[in-house]
């Protein structure tokens, strides 16, 4: 297996997370200040971003909502063009852009400021355009990626989970310590995924892959589908497990392929039931999470605290997208039509 930048980024996630945790401990006052703004917001709290930055919010949004502090996650482009008239000075916007330069989050942050809102920027690039607009910036502190967002994606997930814990309990340090202790487990898990992926070719090649999950796993569902599009230039469908039963299940056949994310505890029995039902229907289904039913596990699940599942469950999908690209003769992360930072709302790059 050639050492391509994406592979290096996958393998380097534990080291990147360690650097992130060190930064967040040193910047705890900023984390606490951001949490206080969210906790005391008199209006809505809106988490917003595009692509992986939006999907990276979903685990934290689920955690805060389950913890009794409801917040929203809204795509920046939709809110910019169809919801900006609803913005109020009592609202707080948490605008996520790893580069701090993506066009829709930047323009939306400007609209939020015009509405009198407090804007919290979450970015991985110091001095970015988004940081200059915001009232306060939570630096992610992840090592940068080369093209495809891998460690910056999971780093954003981790930074936002720390923020969520600070909002709910004021004990983000506890989660930070828990994560630090689990980094060797993550490192081993990555190595196991890379070794096991040699046997995934027959299962991955074929009809579009469906990624199904609920709650905090929805971030991995949608980010996973994005990875297959960006990395392997192949179609994939991300959908909530509940939504799949409301009509889409009619697509089932012997060629149907799916991954069911089963780590979230609140709906684990429902997710396992779905995986078993897909297996019974003759589908090629794989399970990611603790335990298993009739459907085979894509990779054995390690013993980890449940709150860290969003950092691990995406790893086999990162590896699968990487390997599928190689099997299809594609250099992983070789963009043809888009740039690493989307700076315009129109136009594509030349495919030449």
């Amino acid at each position: 297996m050639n050492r391509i930048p994406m592979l290096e980024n996958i393998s380097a996630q534990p080291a990147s997370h360690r650097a992130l945790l060190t930064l967040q401990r040193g910047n705890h006052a900023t984390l606490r200040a951001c949490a206080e703004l969210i906790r005391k917001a008199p209006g809505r709290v809106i988490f917003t971003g595009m692509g992986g930055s939006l999907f990276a919010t979903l685990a934290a949004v689920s955690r805060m909502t389950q913890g009794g502090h409801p917040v929203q996650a809204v795509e920046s482009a939709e809110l910019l063009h169809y919801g900006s008239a609803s913005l109020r000075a009592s609202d707080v916007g948490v605008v996520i852009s790893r580069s701090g330069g993506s066009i829709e989050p930047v323009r939306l942050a400007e609209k939020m400021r015009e509405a009198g809102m407090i804007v919290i920027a979450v970015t991985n690039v110091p001095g970015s355009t988004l940081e200059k607009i915001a009232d306060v910036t939570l630096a992610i502190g992840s090592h940068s990626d080369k093209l495809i967002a891998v460690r910056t994606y999971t780093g954003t997930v981790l930074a936002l989970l720390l923020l969520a814990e600070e909002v709910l309990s004021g004990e983000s340090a506890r989660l930070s310590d828990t994560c630090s202790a689990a980094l060797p487990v993550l490192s081993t898990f990555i190595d196991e995924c890379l070794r096991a992926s040699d046997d995934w070719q027959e299962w991955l090649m074929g009809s579009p892959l469906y990624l199904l999950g609920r709650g905090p796993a929805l971030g991995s569902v949608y980010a996973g589908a994005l990875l297959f599009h960006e990395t392997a230039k192949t179609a994939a469908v991300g959908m909530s497990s509940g939504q799949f039963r409301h009509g889409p299940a009619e697509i089932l056949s012997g060629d149907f392929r799916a991954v069911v994310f089963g780590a979230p505890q609140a709906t684990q029995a429902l997710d396992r039931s779905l995986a078993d039902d897909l297996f019974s229907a003759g589908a090629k289904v794989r399970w990611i999470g603790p335990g298993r039913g009739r459907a085979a596990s894509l990779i054995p699940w390690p013993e980890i605290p449940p709150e860290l599942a969003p950092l691990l469950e995406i790893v086999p999908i990162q590896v699968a997208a990487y390997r599928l690209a190689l099997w299809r003769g594609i250099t992983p992360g070789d963009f043809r039509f888009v740039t690493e930072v989307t700076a315009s709302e129109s136009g594509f790059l030349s495919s030449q």
Side-chain angles (χ1 to χ4, degrees):
M1 192 182 297
N2 295 328
R3 300 300 294 186
I4 293 174
M6 184 177 178
L7 177 59
E8 295 176 356
N9 294 339
I10 292 171
S11 298
Q13 286 176 99
S16 180
H17 295 346
R18 192 172 299 283
L20 182 156
L21 292 169
T22 299
L23 176 72
Q24 295 303 334
R25 290 189 191 101
N27 290 351
H28 186 256
T30 301
L31 189 69
R32 186 170 59 245
C34 292
E36 192 72 4
L37 290 171
I38 292 171
R39 195 182 300 117
K40 293 185 175 180
R44 298 175 298 172
V45 177
I46 305 168
F47 282 70
T48 185
M50 294 298 295
S53 291
L54 175 64
F55 306 147
T57 71
L58 297 182
V61 165
S62 177
R63 173 76 181 96
M64 281 186 273
T65 302
Q66 275 193 301
H69 197 100
V71 296
Q72 303 175 12
V74 186
E75 179 191 304
S76 295
E78 288 298 301
L79 189 54
L80 174 65
H81 294 294
Y82 292 99
S84 58
S86 71
L87 300 176
R88 298 290 182 266
S90 57
D91 298 335
V92 171
V94 184
V95 185
I96 300 95
S97 170
R98 290 184 300 274
S99 68
S102 295
I103 184 65
E104 297 95 344
V106 165
R107 290 186 60 198
L108 178 59
E110 292 171 339
K111 288 280 189 182
M112 288 177 165
R113 289 302 304 272
E114 290 171 7
M117 291 173 59
I118 291 173
V119 176
I120 300 170
V122 181
T123 180
N124 202 50
V125 178
S128 67
T129 302
L130 180 59
E131 180 174 346
K132 293 172 183 175
I133 296 169
D135 295 282
V136 61
T137 297
L138 178 63
I140 295 168
S142 177
H143 293 164
S144 60
D145 288 309
K146 299 167 186 174
L147 298 177
I148 299 291
V150 175
R151 51 192 173 184
T152 52
Y153 170 77
T154 50
T156 305
V157 172
L158 177 54
L160 293 175
L161 284 173
L162 292 170
L163 177 60
E165 195 59 43
E166 192 67 26
V167 169
L168 293 174
S169 69
E171 297 183 0
S172 60
R174 178 202 62 80
L175 180 59
S176 179
D177 291 342
T178 299
C179 186
S180 290
L183 290 179
V185 177
L186 173 59
S187 183
T188 299
F189 187 63
I190 291 170
D191 290 342
E192 291 174 351
C193 287
L194 289 169
R195 285 194 295 269
S197 65
D198 288 333
D199 299 326
W200 294 352
Q201 184 171 4
E202 181 179 356
W203 174 71
L204 281 172
M205 302 287 279
S207 59
L209 181 68
Y210 277 64
L211 296 97
L212 307 171
R214 299 174 186 255
L218 281 174
S220 297
V221 165
Y222 299 130
L226 177 62
L227 277 169
F228 281 103
H229 285 92
E230 286 186 328
T231 308
K233 323 302 183 197
T234 189
V237 180
M239 186 180 298
S240 76
S241 298
Q243 189 68 21
F244 181 78
R245 291 190 180 274
H246 289 257
E250 285 299 317
I251 199 173
L252 284 174
S253 71
D255 294 326
F256 180 82
R257 298 175 308 129
V259 168
V260 178
F261 292 89
Q265 293 178 307
T267 51
Q268 198 169 89
L270 288 172
D271 291 326
R272 184 172 290 117
S273 175
L274 174 61
D276 288 347
D277 289 343
L278 292 172
F279 178 85
S280 297
K284 299 177 177 68
V285 59
R286 297 293 184 270
W287 171 264
I288 296 178
R292 57 168 290 186
R294 299 178 66 193
S297 293
L298 183 60
I299 190 77
W301 188 252
E303 291 288 334
I304 59 159
E307 60 264 37
L308 299 182
L311 302 178
L312 275 79
E313 65 193 5
I314 192 65
V315 169
I317 303 304
Q318 294 169 343
V319 172
Y322 168 81
R323 292 304 300 265
L324 183 58
L326 294 182
W327 290 324
R328 298 187 71 230
I330 295 168
T331 301
D334 185 9
F335 287 168
R336 301 174 298 172
F337 300 105
V338 300
T339 55
E340 189 171 358
V341 179
T342 302
S344 173
E345 290 192 85
S346 62
F348 291 125
L349 294 176
S350 169
S351 60
Q352 300 301 314

